[in-house]
């Protein structure tokens, strides 16, 4: 350190204290970041998160206010500022994972974007002996991987592609310069990212210039199914377990493509615009609190709480299930989603099941129109055609909602869950998927008696059953599917009404 007066020494000492304290708290949180230690339950980590956010907020403000002294007297490096920003981004991302509040993704994005925009990691002085350059390169690579995950979840695909190109270049530089032992690991990370992006582009919606349009499939006012509410509809979705256990499915950062799709399906669209705070500290009212803000005011939670489990052991699954049930409030419901390989399949189908690019049923739950396009072998759909077809899908959903709520033979348990936006959405998309597959020639053979029809193993099933005549095979729903097939010019793939008589 350069010579300092008392004021400068006080500033440097305070910065060192905040920096050391922040590292201690962040390292303590790693027990919650790790899959090997408990992530379940809300109270175990809530208070620790609050303390860690508080110290990082102070640290971030402090380095801003005293940057000149810290630069000249402490020798503060730009990569060190980048490390602070990166850790704040990680905090917001992990808080998002544990609260399911998508606005925290925007906060993580702001700090990660600041690192890239201000080139905190790019100008690394080679004469800086305080850190091994190879270690600093690893920090940079990990930052890129984390930023890509956040951008994928926010559907910022143009930026994702830019980041992937930059990461590829950084990996080449890292492996060429240092010939590290983990070069194969980083090559696999890059391959995973590219495969994941490719799998997510199952159906391309194109503008007039044939450029791909990025669509969001989170719940919003535009796709919330209509509802005629009744007193029986008294349950709300509060806890969700999303489990990915497929061996041959693309993944990135312990998120399989099915988990990635369901995660978005069960979230509301972020309400806030991305705050371009960059070097600014997080606003006090954005410091995360589970049931209130910094002033103690109660905040409404927009999304159910989720757990994401990638290939958990049976005991881990049971612990998370038990914890989720324990957290349920009165009239709360829990959803368990498992994406896994069948245990009793008699033969493999290497010609297919697109299986490594995600399950068909999951795609229908994520985006019904994409599911329809996939079983119709459509890859590219012009935006004007997509919008016209989406209108028909919305009409189907509205009609299916009416049939469920008014059906005399619909089990009352469906209505208990039907008042929740997410559970109603999944139920109605299940009906859409079932109707499409029942109408599709590839999923049915008609030359046998009804009870012996082949292809029923391809239909989604539910318990208790939805009545076929009143809902699943209802003529009004079938007619909309045929209209949709005609609009997509794939009506030859579907049975006409008279074929079923």
């Amino acid at each position: 350190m350069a010579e300092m007066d008392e004021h400068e020494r006080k500033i440097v000492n305070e910065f060192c204290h905040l920096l050391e304290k922040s590292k201690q708290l962040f390292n303590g949180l790693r027990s919650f970041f790790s899959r090997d230690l408990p992530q379940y339950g809300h109270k175990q980590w809530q208070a620790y998160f609050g303390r860690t956010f508080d110290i990082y907020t102070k640290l971030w403000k402090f380095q801003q206010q005293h940057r000149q002294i810290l630069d000249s007297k402490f020798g503060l490096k730009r990569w060190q500022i980048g490390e602070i920003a990166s850790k704040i981004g990680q905090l917001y991302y992990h808080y998002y994972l544990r609260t399911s509040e998508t606005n925290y993704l925007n906060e993580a994005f702001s700090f990660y974007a600041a690192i890239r925009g201000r080139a905190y990691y790019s100008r690394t002085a080679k004469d800086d002996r305080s850190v091994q350059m190879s270690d600093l390169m690893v920090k940079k690579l990990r930052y890129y991987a984390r930023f890509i995950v956040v951008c994928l979840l926010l559907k910022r695909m143009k930026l994702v592609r830019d980041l992937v190109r930059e990461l590829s270049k950084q990996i080449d530089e890292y492996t060429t310069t240092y010939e590290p032992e983990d070069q194969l690991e980083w090559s696999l990370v890059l391959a995973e990212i590219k495969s994941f992006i490719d799998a997510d582009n199952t159906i391309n919606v194109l503008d007039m210039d044939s450029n791909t349009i990025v669509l969001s499939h989170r719940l919003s006012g535009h796709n919330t199914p209509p509802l005629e509410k009744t007193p029986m509809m008294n349950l709300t979705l509060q806890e969700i377990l999303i489990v990915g256990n497929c061996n041959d499915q693309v993944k990135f950062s312990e998120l399989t493509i099915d988990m990635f799709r369901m995660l978005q399906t069960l979230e509301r669209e972020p309400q806030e615009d991305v705050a371009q705070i960059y070097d600014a500290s997080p606003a006090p009212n954005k410091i995360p609190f589970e049931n209130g803000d910094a002033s103690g005011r109660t905040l409404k939670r927009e999304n159910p709480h989720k757990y994401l489990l990638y290939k958990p052991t049976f005991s881990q699954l049971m612990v998370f299930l038990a914890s989720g049930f324990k957290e349920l409030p009165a009239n709360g419901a829990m959803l368990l989603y498992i994406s896994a390989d069948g245990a009793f399949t008699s033969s493999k189908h290497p010609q297919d099941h697109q299986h490594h690019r995600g399950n068909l049923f999951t795609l229908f739950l994520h985006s019904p129109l994409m599911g329809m396009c996939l079983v119709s072998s459509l890859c590219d759909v012009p935006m004007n055609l997509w919008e016209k077809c989406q209108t028909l899908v919305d009409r189907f959903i509205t009609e299916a909602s009416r049939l469920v709520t008014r059906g005399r033979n619909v089990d009352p348990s469906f209505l208990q869950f039907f008042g929740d936006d997410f559970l109603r959405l999944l139920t109605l998309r299940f009906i859409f998927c079932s109707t499409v597959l029942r109408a599709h020639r590839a999923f049915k053979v008609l030359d046998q008696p009804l009870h012996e029809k082949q292809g029923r193993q391809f239909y989604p099933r539910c318990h208790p059953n939805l009545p076929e005549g009143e809902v699943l095979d209802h003529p009004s729903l079938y007619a909309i599917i045929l209209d949709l097939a005609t609009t997509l010019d794939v009506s030859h793939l579907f049975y006409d009404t008279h074929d079923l008589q």
Side-chain angles (χ1 to χ4, degrees):
M1 293 186 188
E3 291 187 6
M4 295 179 283
D5 58 30
E6 184 176 349
H7 174 67
E8 293 168 338
R9 185 177 293 107
K10 184 178 179 180
I11 289 173
V12 170
N13 287 340
E14 177 66 13
F15 177 77
C16 291
H17 168 73
L18 290 173
L19 187 63
E20 183 60 29
K21 185 68 174 177
S22 67
K23 289 179 179 178
Q24 290 175 2
L25 288 171
F26 191 89
N27 289 336
L29 274 180
R30 287 187 176 180
S31 64
F32 298 109
F33 294 169
S34 171
R35 290 181 68 246
D36 300 326
L37 292 172
Q39 301 172 8
Y40 48 83
H42 297 207
K43 296 179 181 178
Q44 288 93 327
W45 52 268
Q46 180 63 44
Y48 213 113
F49 249 106
R51 291 197 298 272
T52 309
F53 266 105
D54 182 60
I55 199 70
Y56 269 98
T57 299
K58 292 178 181 177
L59 178 63
W60 189 251
K61 286 182 178 179
F62 195 86
Q63 63 85 19
Q64 282 184 301
Q65 295 166 353
H66 305 288
R67 179 76 60 81
Q68 185 175 356
I69 292 176
L70 292 173
D71 285 348
S72 61
K73 302 300 180 179
F74 177 73
L76 184 65
K77 304 294 189 299
R78 291 190 65 78
W79 67 262
Q80 291 175 304
I81 302 172
E83 272 295 279
I84 297 171
S86 179
K87 283 186 168 63
I88 294 174
Q90 290 178 61
L91 287 173
Y92 274 119
Y93 173 68
H94 282 281
Y95 201 80
Y96 152 73
L97 289 181
R98 284 155 181 78
T99 63
S100 305
E101 296 306 327
T102 44
N103 290 323
Y104 292 125
L105 272 178
N106 287 334
E107 300 300 326
F109 175 87
S110 295
F111 280 94
Y112 285 145
I115 294 171
R116 181 171 178 259
R118 294 177 179 259
Y120 283 139
Y121 279 128
S122 63
R123 293 191 294 178
T124 53
K126 293 187 177 180
D127 59 348
D128 182 6
R129 298 177 183 177
S130 64
V131 64
Q132 290 286 338
M133 293 305 296
S134 60
D135 293 341
L136 190 54
M137 281 294 296
V138 171
K139 291 178 186 291
K140 186 192 296 189
L141 297 180
R142 288 174 177 167
Y143 150 73
Y144 268 104
R146 293 180 183 121
F147 194 11
I148 289 171
V149 172
V150 169
C151 290
L152 279 170
L153 288 167
L154 287 173
K155 306 299 286 186
R156 295 176 172 269
M157 300 310 297
K158 183 180 183 302
L159 182 54
V160 165
R161 294 183 183 93
D162 291 341
L163 291 172
V164 169
R165 284 192 292 269
E166 292 174 22
L167 175 60
S168 179
K169 181 180 177 181
Q170 295 292 334
I171 290 174
D172 287 343
E173 180 182 336
Y174 172 61
T175 56
T176 302
T177 304
Y178 302 104
E179 298 183 357
E181 294 181 357
D182 61 351
Q183 58 181 329
L184 178 59
E185 177 184 335
W186 282 109
S187 297
L188 290 174
V189 168
L190 186 62
E192 274 190 355
I193 296 172
K194 292 179 177 179
S195 296
F196 196 94
I197 295 171
D198 180 61
D200 194 38
N201 291 337
T202 302
I203 309 297
N204 296 310
V205 181
L206 307 176
D207 64 14
M208 295 181 64
D209 298 320
S210 296
N211 298 315
T212 300
I213 298 173
V214 179
L215 301 174
S216 175
H217 299 288
R218 288 186 169 91
L219 188 66
S220 69
H222 300 294
N223 61 7
T224 301
L227 176 66
E228 300 175 13
K229 191 117 183 186
T230 68
M232 189 178 292
M233 302 174 183
N234 58 356
L235 296 179
T236 60
L237 182 60
Q238 295 289 330
E239 298 287 331
I240 303 171
L241 254 68
I242 297 179
V243 181
N245 202 37
C246 290
N247 287 321
D248 187 27
Q249 191 173 106
V250 295
K251 73 171 188 70
F252 176 49
S253 185
E254 298 203 334
L255 272 180
T256 66
I257 192 69
D258 276 353
M259 294 172 70
F260 177 70
R261 286 171 176 160
M262 287 303 296
L263 180 150
Q264 295 171 77
T265 302
L266 295 165
E267 290 177 349
R268 297 183 188 277
E269 197 67 43
Q271 296 300 307
E272 297 180 1
D273 293 327
V274 177
Q276 301 297 324
I277 56 178
Y278 291 164
D279 260 4
S281 62
N285 63 349
K286 292 181 181 177
I287 300 302
F289 288 84
E290 180 67 5
N291 294 314
D293 63 9
S295 65
R297 209 171 52 235
T298 300
L299 299 179
K300 179 185 177 183
R301 195 169 75 184
E302 291 295 326
N303 295 307
H305 177 258
K306 291 192 297 291
Y307 297 114
L308 304 176
L309 301 179
Y310 175 67
K311 292 190 175 180
T313 64
F314 181 76
S315 60
Q316 285 175 325
L317 179 61
M318 291 298 102
V319 167
F320 278 83
L321 272 173
S323 177
F325 274 114
K326 185 178 180 181
E327 299 285 349
L328 282 180
N331 295 329
M334 184 176 185
L335 171 66
L336 171 61
Y337 165 86
I338 300 178
S339 167
D341 300 315
F344 305 107
T345 52
S346 58
S347 61
K348 294 184 178 180
H349 302 278
Q351 72 274 14
D352 183 1
H353 290 317
Q354 292 285 336
H355 180 67
H356 71 286
R357 297 166 66 93
N359 288 320
L360 177 61
F361 181 58
T362 302
L363 185 60
F364 269 102
L365 296 180
H366 177 63
S367 171
L369 186 49
M370 282 192 173
M372 176 80 168
C373 291
L374 185 63
V375 297
S376 304
S377 300
L378 297 175
C379 298
D380 299 325
V381 181
M383 185 60 188
N384 60 343
L385 178 59
W386 178 271
E387 290 177 338
K388 187 181 299 184
C389 291
Q390 190 60 54
T391 300
L392 289 170
V393 173
D394 294 341
R395 188 194 303 172
F396 181 101
I397 295 297
T398 299
E399 175 64 5
S401 180
R402 186 187 68 82
L403 293 174
V404 170
T405 54
R406 299 185 182 182
R408 294 181 179 180
N409 296 311
V410 173
D411 193 286
S413 61
F414 278 101
L415 298 181
Q416 286 185 285
F417 294 96
F418 215 62
D420 181 89
D421 289 346
F422 291 105
L423 296 177
R424 184 167 72 260
L425 181 82
L426 294 182
T427 302
L428 297 174
R429 289 180 176 179
F430 167 90
I431 295 171
F432 181 91
C433 176
S434 179
T435 306
V436 169
L437 300 189
R438 287 164 179 263
H440 201 291
R441 292 178 181 272
F443 294 88
K444 179 160 27 180
V445 176
L446 286 175
D447 59 356
Q448 298 181 8
L450 181 63
H451 66 281
E452 294 178 358
K453 283 180 183 176
Q454 297 177 5
R456 284 183 172 270
Q457 67 269 30
F458 297 118
Y459 300 162
R461 293 189 292 267
C462 64
H463 302 281
N465 294 325
L466 282 165
E468 294 190 357
E470 283 189 347
V471 180
L472 298 182
D473 286 333
H474 196 278
S476 64
L477 297 183
Y478 201 91
I480 297 174
I481 295 302
L482 293 183
D483 286 346
L484 187 56
T486 301
T487 304
L488 288 169
D489 196 23
V490 293
S491 56
H492 61 284
L493 298 176
F494 293 82
Y495 288 108
D496 201 349
T497 308
H498 71 272
D499 292 327
L500 300 175
Q501 296 174 349

